[in-house]
Amino acid sequence: MGQGKSMQEAMDEVQMVVEGVYSAKAAVKLGQKYGVSLPIIEKVSEVLFEGKDPGEAVNELMLRDGRAEHQALHWEE
């Protein structure tokens, strides 16, 4: 996929499931179930299963508002 191929093209080329493909989908579901924000995994899933452009996904991650990722961490702007 790093060479610009779709998930299906990559799997067809190696004739096996690309590592982590279905784990990404499962991780998104677990995050939703437990109310955990998983922005990187969500973008990976969008690239894999929704056809999102990888560059656009990276830009969206880099431009998102900063915030504490855990309640125990203090965030200063």
Side-chain angles (χ1 to χ4, degrees):
M1 293 188 67
Q3 297 172 346
K5 297 178 181 173
S6 70
M7 175 186 67
Q8 191 58 54
E9 290 169 332
M11 289 195 294
D12 289 346
E13 185 173 309
V14 297
Q15 298 181 345
M16 63 180 73
V17 174
V18 176
E19 182 179 352
V21 166
Y22 298 110
S23 298
K25 190 177 274 191
V28 168
K29 286 184 181 182
L30 283 170
Q32 292 168 344
K33 178 178 179 179
Y34 293 104
V36 176
S37 175
L38 300 170
I40 296 172
I41 297 297
E42 290 166 1
K43 294 301 175 192
V44 167
S45 185
E46 289 174 15
V47 169
L48 292 172
F49 300 106
E50 298 174 22
K52 180 178 268 303
D53 176 71
E56 182 181 337
V58 170
N59 284 338
E60 289 173 3
L61 286 169
M62 298 303 288
L63 295 173
R64 58 189 276 265
D65 291 335
R67 64 182 187 86
E69 296 294 331
H70 191 276
Q71 294 171 346
L73 301 175
H74 179 70
W75 178 258
E76 293 181 23
E77 291 192 37

